Each structure stands twice: as C-alpha cells, then as structure tokens.
Amino acid sequence: MDYIKLLRHELIPAFGCTEPIALALASSMAKKILEENPRKIVATLSGNMIKNANSVKVPGTDGRKGIEISLVAGAFLGNPDKGLEVLEGIDKSKLNHCDKLIEDGIVEIKIKKDCPNLYIDVYMIGESNNSRVVLEHSHTNVVLVERNGESIKNNQSDDFEEYEENLTFDGIYNFAKNGDYSEVKEILDMQLEYNNAIAVEGIENSWGSNIGKTILNRNSNIYEEKLVAYAAAGSDARMSGCEKPVVINSGSGNQGITVSVPLGLYLKDNNIDGELKYRSLVFANLIGLYIKQGIGKLSAYCGVVSAAAASVCGIAFAKEESKEIIEKTLTNALATNSGIICDGAKPSCASKIASSLRNAFLSFDQAKTENSFVSGDGIVKGNIEETVKTVGIIARNGMKSTDEVILEEMIKNK
C-alpha cells in the first residue's frame, strides 16, 4: 500500500466548498476546450451534487449561492489550471454579467439517475463548437473530455476509489508508527497553516451562524470545547464564502478542517513537534480516509462524523495511547453518531462538526475508563474492520432512500 501516494492524492488545497468548486472546475475546463464563450451550459448532475451545491455560498462571488453561479463563474471567470482553486482571484467586476447570463437562462440543470454519487457532466454549446467534460467519483477525477463529439479523453475508472478499499486499521497504524512520512511533510504543514487560518477567521469575525464563536463564549474554560469551537468556526467561515483555501480530506473541506484543526491545536498547545506531530497527522488523515472508503465521497451520511472520530484518534495517537485504546475510541464514536444526515453544504455543518467532535471526545474517555461498547451493541462488531465495514454498508446502501428523500425535500423548500 502506497500511503504517501494516497495522501498526496487526497490532501489537496481547495478554495471554497468542494462541490460548487468542482462544478466551476468542470465548467472552466469545458470553456477552455470550447475556445469561445458558451451560449448554453447544460449540467447533468447526480442528486448528491445538486444537494451539496444547492445552499452553500461560492467564494469569490460576493455571497452568491448555488449551482448556476458556480457553473457560470467557472466558465467566464475561472482558471482551470488552478484545479480546486479555480475561482481564486477572479474578476469580481464581471459578476453582474454572470447574474445577467443566469437570468437569461444560459444554464440548464438536469438530474442523472443510476450514476455515481459524485457525478458532473457539463455540456457547452457555443456559436461554432460544443464541448463536454465529465467528472465522477471524486472532485477532480475527469473521466471524459469531448470537443465537437470527438473524444479527447475517455477513462471510466478512478484508480483511487478502488485503491482506498485496501486500507486497514492495522496497516494505517503500523505506517503511522514506522513509515517514512518525509514526502508529505510539506502538505501536512500546509494543512495545519491553511485550516487553522480559516478557523481563526471564523472565531474572530462573523460568519454564517457563528457556531464556533458561540461555543467558545459558552464554554471558554473547557479545553476540549476550545478544540471543538475552532473546528466549527472553520466551517462557519468556509460555508459562508470565506476566501481562504483549506486542505481537504476525503474530498471535503469540512472534513479536512475537522480532522486537522483540533489535532493541530492540541499539538501546538502541548508543544508536540517533530516526528510525533507528523505521525499523528498522518494517522488522523488516513483514518479519515479509511472510514470513508466504504461510504464514498458523497452520501446521506454526514462525513464530519468520520472526520471527527479520526481527529480524536489522532489526538489519542499524539498522547501515545495504546493501539487498543485508539481502536476502541473509533468504535465508540462510530457506534454513536453514525447516521447523522448530510443535507448539503451550508451553515449548519458547523453544528454537526461540534456534535461529532464532542461525541468523539466522549468516546475517547469511554475507551480510557474501560467503558467501551462491545460486540453486539447495535452495529458494533467483533473488530474495528467489521465495524467500519458495517458503517459503510449502512451509509451507502441503507441510507440510499434517505438521500433521495432529503434531496426531494430540499428542492421542494427551494
């Protein structure tokens, strides 16, 4: 297992919530291939893409929300060479023109059934040409590129979707303890710098529903609540259009923030540096990916549940707790908060981060005091591999109809 390759593939910077940004990226790529301004942008999307891009503010767009502005800003203002930072530094003076194009009906949105949960198909029609870009499974995985009906790229598989299914708790733990992490030190430093910066922004200024700031004001004397507050504050800012990048985990900025911010603060506050610092970050990030391997990038299962569990497991690793304690912490956390729904990216994600981190800290205390759940307690199995597998089955299969109902209700309310 090449853990370094996996981390370098997954821990990448993104400017804004990854679903609207992926839409902007696909649209920007299609525009570049089109080689002229589009007269029509037809986006065929999975239900999960619609759900996750529906309610969140798009950075760089002065507070505008949703799918249409993501596609139009990507096409007319974005730079596809920047990847998930496609809208960084765009010309805001042209946003009113984007509004007019949307008003005039340049965008058509369709929903695609029976496709990967993360699916984006952008078809552009210009005066003389047409182009098409398809992404699936992950936010940067381009599987099809066409110009005037001729294929430029056609690759229907994402190697890393299959690759991640080989992750195991024991393998991750052993690599974090003994593996060579030198090639990812730079990205881990970036993760700490970027994600802490947006967390501080969320605490110091007013963003979204100010969940992080509210938590800190209520419980400033409780150390764990400080860690919870800063993670929630990062989401407050990110979900409300803050123009600061973050380093993602499992395709999600909120998950990247949740994995790294509490752990990063703990490491800093306890003067933990050097080898233990990096090994703790490697462990937490890989555990986040491990839990999500059976769930997928997008689903009805709120991803910050897994990210919070991974973060607190990282703190336990930094405290040099036993492998058994860490394993039981993860089991306890997944046994309790699994099933929190994902109803798209929006301000309430910060509250879900707070809930999930609090549960994970309680789970850690359970493990340390020999009060952990045991096999047969609900979804808890005889070992961590089976428990994580069960969570994946519930999220991917059991919550499928839940996902459909959530989307129906969101669209109805809109």
Side-chain angles (χ1 to χ4, degrees), residues 207-224:
W207 291 98
S209 295
N210 291 305
I211 300 300
K213 192 180 298 186
T214 302
I215 292 169
L216 200 61
N217 289 339
R218 290 179 69 238
N219 299 303
S220 59
N221 60 329
I222 302 173
Y223 180 68
E224 287 178 356

Side-chain angles (χ1 to χ4, degrees), residues 7 11-13 184-192 247:
L7 288 168
L11 304 189
I12 57 175
V184 291
K185 283 179 67 175
E186 185 177 350
I187 188 63
L188 294 172
D189 285 332
M190 183 189 294
Q191 185 183 49
L192 290 180
V247 172

Side-chain angles (χ1 to χ4, degrees), residues 94-263:
K94 296 181 179 178
L95 287 170
N96 288 337
H97 176 61
C98 291
D99 292 338
K100 182 66 167 58
L101 291 170
I102 293 168
E103 208 175 290
D104 291 343
I106 191 172
V107 176
E108 180 181 351
I109 299 168
K110 300 178 180 180
I111 186 167
K112 184 174 177 65
K113 303 286 188 181
D114 302 319
C115 65
N117 282 351
L118 198 164
Y119 182 88
I120 302 168
D121 181 342
V122 174
Y123 177 67
M124 277 188 187
I125 303 168
E127 194 69 40
S128 305
N129 303 294
N130 62 72
S131 63
R132 184 183 177 204
V133 171
V134 179
L135 281 70
E136 64 179 38
H137 294 305
S138 68
H139 299 77
T140 56
N141 186 49
V142 181
V143 298
L144 182 68
V145 178
E146 292 180 347
R147 186 173 191 272
N148 296 330
E150 293 186 9
S151 177
I152 298 171
K153 174 178 180 177
N154 192 339
N155 173 20
Q156 294 299 327
S157 66
D158 181 353
D159 293 339
F160 278 88
E161 281 291 305
E162 195 172 315
Y163 186 68
E164 289 175 20
E165 292 180 4
N166 296 317
L167 293 172
T168 66
F169 183 88
D170 285 352
I172 290 168
Y173 183 83
N174 291 334
F175 176 76
K177 279 286 186 183
N178 306 305
D180 180 2
Y181 58 84
S182 58
E183 289 185 43
V184 291
K185 283 179 67 175
E186 185 177 350
I187 188 63
L188 294 172
D189 285 332
M190 183 189 294
Q191 185 183 49
L192 290 180
E193 179 188 350
Y194 283 13
N195 296 5
N196 184 69
I198 201 168
V200 170
E201 172 66 27
I203 289 291
E204 293 183 348
N205 297 294
S206 181
W207 291 98
S209 295
N210 291 305
I211 300 300
K213 192 180 298 186
T214 302
I215 292 169
L216 200 61
N217 289 339
R218 290 179 69 238
N219 299 303
S220 59
N221 60 329
I222 302 173
Y223 180 68
E224 287 178 356
E225 286 292 278
K226 170 191 169 182
L227 306 187
V228 171
Y230 273 81
S235 179
D236 284 326
R238 184 170 174 79
M239 294 295 94
S240 297
C242 177
E243 296 185 20
K244 288 183 180 292
V246 307
V247 172
I248 65 177
N249 182 290
S250 301
S252 162
N254 276 338
Q255 289 173 64
I257 289 167
T258 306
V259 167
S260 64
V261 168
L263 174 55

Side-chain angles (χ1 to χ4, degrees), residues 43-62:
T44 305
L45 311 172
S46 62
N48 273 274
M49 278 305 306
I50 293 172
K51 181 182 74 174
N52 278 272
N54 183 64
S55 305
V56 67
K57 291 182 179 177
V58 183
T61 66
D62 289 344

Side-chain angles (χ1 to χ4, degrees), residues 288-309:
L289 295 168
Y290 164 62
I291 302 168
K292 287 299 292 293
Q293 68 182 346
I295 299 171
K297 291 290 192 294
L298 299 179
S299 71
Y301 184 101
C302 178
V304 301
V305 173
S306 53

Side-chain angles (χ1 to χ4, degrees), residues 260-280:
S260 64
V261 168
L263 174 55
L265 286 172
Y266 176 82
L267 295 169
K268 181 181 178 182
D269 292 344
N270 290 275
N271 298 311
I272 298 172
D273 206 349
E275 186 171 345
L276 183 56
K277 166 186 165 181
Y278 290 110
R279 292 194 182 281
S280 301

